[in-house]
Amino acid sequence: MLTEILARHPSLAMHAHDGLLFDGVPLTPIARTHGTPCWVTAAATLRGRYAALADALAPTGAHIHYAVKANDHLAILAILARLGAGADVVSLGELARARRAGIPPDRIVFSGVGKSADEHIAALTENIAQINVESAEELEQLAAIATALNRPARIAFRLNPDVDAGTHHHISTGRQGDKFGIPAADIPALYARAAAHEFLTPIGLALHIGSQITSPAPYRAAFARAASLVRALRAEGHSVTALDCGGGLGIAYADETPLSLPAYAATLQRAFTGLDLALIVEPGRYLVGPAGLLLARVMLRKHATPRPFLVLDAAMTDLARPALYGAHHAILPLAPRHLHAPLSPVDVVGPVCESTDVLARARALPALEPGDFVAILDTGAYGAVMSSTYNARPLAPQILIDQQRAHLIRPRQAQEQLWQAEIVPPCLAHLP
Ligand code: LLP
């Protein structure tokens, strides 16, 4: 069972003496040196995943715009920037991070259902490649800002194709009733309005139907709707040159069979062949998910009915996905002696004062004891970025394994940093 998890994770190996290795580097010394909980990203794995996706997409001509929200650490962005990735950003902060990491403005697209005036101003001032407009209301705001700044805005309209991505309800974004995008029927009038505006240049469409998609069917349906809308817009005389196909490519957290890269590329190819469109994809999870893990230490094993609790020093404040989406993350012990030991079910929980602070329910694990280390796998996407400091828990440190070495890329947050921005008004300064 644990050996099956290992077999599904080519970046991991169990060394008879050094224990669990990630990109060839032992994890136990990292846990001992930097303490736990601790995030670890493997740069070679990340580069390998980017290369595999870029190769698969080559025949489609699609360009990769990494969805910064999945993991926005500057070192991760710098790795991807050097590989030639563009960025999909959804806030001023993500735009600033992408620029800081060296991603050029002409490779940045700005998505998001609510963009502030400051965000539109920054997008225009930085002259980024494209703004994905998600409503008639946003179009009005952008038109006014572009006019006031006397700057042209290249825009794509985000289509809500009303397609069920077949994924978790909370990460589905392309159905009627989801807040994202514009219904197909409303886009031609908005396109015409933009085309007639002095400072707006509509270049095409965008869509993103959800995340952790494991079947080609929803992509096929959404892409078919986008292709027919492109034809309809062209028939009305509009220029449509760009199509942003969003992200969503799923990974194997448990026993899912995700869409293969060739199947994904073929789906894109078939949908848009002959339309002569510049394609963009916005993967986040696919690139960084399996390139990261979270190290934790067993604090105690609490006897309970119906199952014992394994209390870790990592919690929902570090990794929110299980609490938010009931997400499954495989867990492996770091010590070699546990690999073939008998397994029994435990509830793996964190120390936070919430009943939802459960990292894994009824998980088959060996008899782990206080002090043992574990790795919570596939947490490179939507892991550290979604952490909070609830219960006054400082943010965990981050390590990057590159060239067979472990680099500290973010130290553990100091306790005082949690309150350094807080102001106690003078009337309370003299506490009794
Ligand atoms: N493009 C847009 C416009 C998006 O909203 C997203 C993700 C992506 C691309 C990247 O999707 P990906 O390739 O990573 O699936 N926190 C959730 C996932 C939320 C995804 C939000 N949007 C989770 O932990 O599963």
Side-chain angles (χ1 to χ4, degrees):
M1 178 70 171
L2 297 187
T3 50
E4 283 165 28
I5 296 175
L6 261 184
R8 283 204 308 269
H9 291 83
S11 322
L12 294 170
M14 188 62 89
H15 187 274
H17 179 258
D18 293 337
L20 198 63
L21 313 179
F22 197 22
D23 270 7
V25 172
L27 289 167
T28 304
I30 295 178
R32 288 202 203 292
T33 306
H34 299 283
T36 48
C38 175
W39 301 98
V40 185
T41 306
T45 295
L46 173 57
R47 292 193 188 99
R49 297 187 72 80
Y50 184 91
L53 181 60
D55 279 356
L57 291 175
T60 70
H63 199 270
I64 300 174
H65 285 241
Y66 169 63
V68 171
K69 64 171 78 67
N71 186 329
D72 64 11
H73 192 290
L74 288 178
I76 306 294
L77 298 179
I79 289 172
L80 291 166
R82 282 182 200 181
L83 294 171
D88 161 57
V89 302
V90 293
S91 69
L92 208 50
E94 286 191 359
L95 175 58
R97 279 180 176 273
R99 295 290 296 117
R100 175 103 193 202
I103 298 177
D106 62 0
R107 292 203 177 158
I108 298 179
V109 302
F110 205 132
S111 305
V113 72
K115 302 183 194 74
S116 67
D118 281 349
E119 288 172 332
H120 275 152
I121 291 169
L124 294 179
T125 317
E126 296 253 2
N127 197 17
I128 67 165
Q130 137 189 355
I131 300 173
N132 293 341
V133 170
E134 297 219 14
S135 62
E137 295 78 2
E138 179 183 352
L139 187 68
E140 291 315 308
Q141 173 178 306
L142 183 57
I145 290 172
T147 307
L149 292 180
N150 200 10
R151 277 179 177 270
R154 278 174 301 279
I155 61 174
F157 287 98
R158 176 160 171 185
L159 165 70
N160 180 327
D162 193 16
V163 165
D164 189 339
T167 183
H168 190 279
H169 179 65
H170 291 170
I171 51 176
S172 215
T173 50
R175 300 160 302 183
Q176 188 181 42
D178 290 329
K179 68 179 174 180
F180 302 96
I182 305 170
D186 298 348
I187 289 182
L190 295 175
Y191 213 96
R193 151 122 183 83
H197 193 280
E198 187 185 356
F199 290 100
L200 300 179
T201 309
I203 59 171
L205 301 175
L207 60 89
H208 171 76
I209 55 172
S211 200
Q212 184 54 16
I213 297 170
T214 53
S215 140
Y219 278 126
R220 241 181 256 136
F223 293 167
R225 284 179 198 175
S228 73
L229 186 54
V230 168
R231 289 192 187 92
L233 290 167
R234 284 179 175 168
E236 289 179 18
H238 294 300
S239 159
V240 185
T241 58
L243 186 60
D244 176 346
C245 305
L249 200 50
I251 60 173
Y253 284 108
D255 49 10
E256 305 96 325
T257 312
L259 195 57
S260 73
L261 293 182
Y264 178 59
T267 308
L268 279 167
Q269 183 91 324
R270 280 192 209 114
F272 303 119
T273 198
L275 283 181
D276 192 21
L277 289 164
L279 300 181
I280 282 179
V281 291
E282 301 172 344
R285 187 190 317 268
Y286 176 83
L287 293 174
V288 289
L293 53 78
L294 175 62
L295 295 176
R297 188 174 53 87
V298 176
M299 298 175 79
L300 50 91
R301 188 183 179 87
K302 175 174 170 174
H303 292 283
T305 308
R307 287 177 293 275
F309 290 106
L310 203 61
V311 185
L312 303 186
D313 60 0
M316 63 184 284
T317 49
D318 304 296
L319 179 65
R321 303 194 69 255
L324 275 179
Y325 322 112
H328 177 103
H329 286 269
I331 299 177
L332 280 181
L334 298 199
R337 69 191 148 84
H338 287 131
L339 188 59
H340 299 289
L343 309 179
S344 61
V346 288
D347 285 351
V348 183
V349 301
V352 160
C353 298
E354 297 277 345
S355 292
T356 187
D357 185 22
V358 176
L359 295 164
R361 190 74 79 182
R363 186 63 62 83
L365 283 172
L368 296 167
E369 295 296 332
D372 285 335
F373 292 120
V374 295
I376 306 174
L377 306 185
D378 304 309
T379 49
Y382 309 109
V385 274
M386 289 174 66
S387 296
S388 80
T389 58
Y390 181 47
N391 278 202
R393 290 170 53 88
L395 296 178
Q398 297 182 38
I399 306 295
L400 181 74
I401 293 174
D402 197 12
Q403 316 289 338
Q404 296 293 307
R405 284 191 44 213
H407 306 265
L408 178 65
I409 57 169
R410 183 184 165 117
R412 185 179 306 284
Q413 199 174 29
Q415 202 72 62
E416 312 78 60
Q417 287 180 287
L418 290 180
W419 59 73
Q420 73 183 5
E422 292 174 18
I423 298 166
V424 178
C427 59
L428 293 175
H430 303 290
L431 296 173

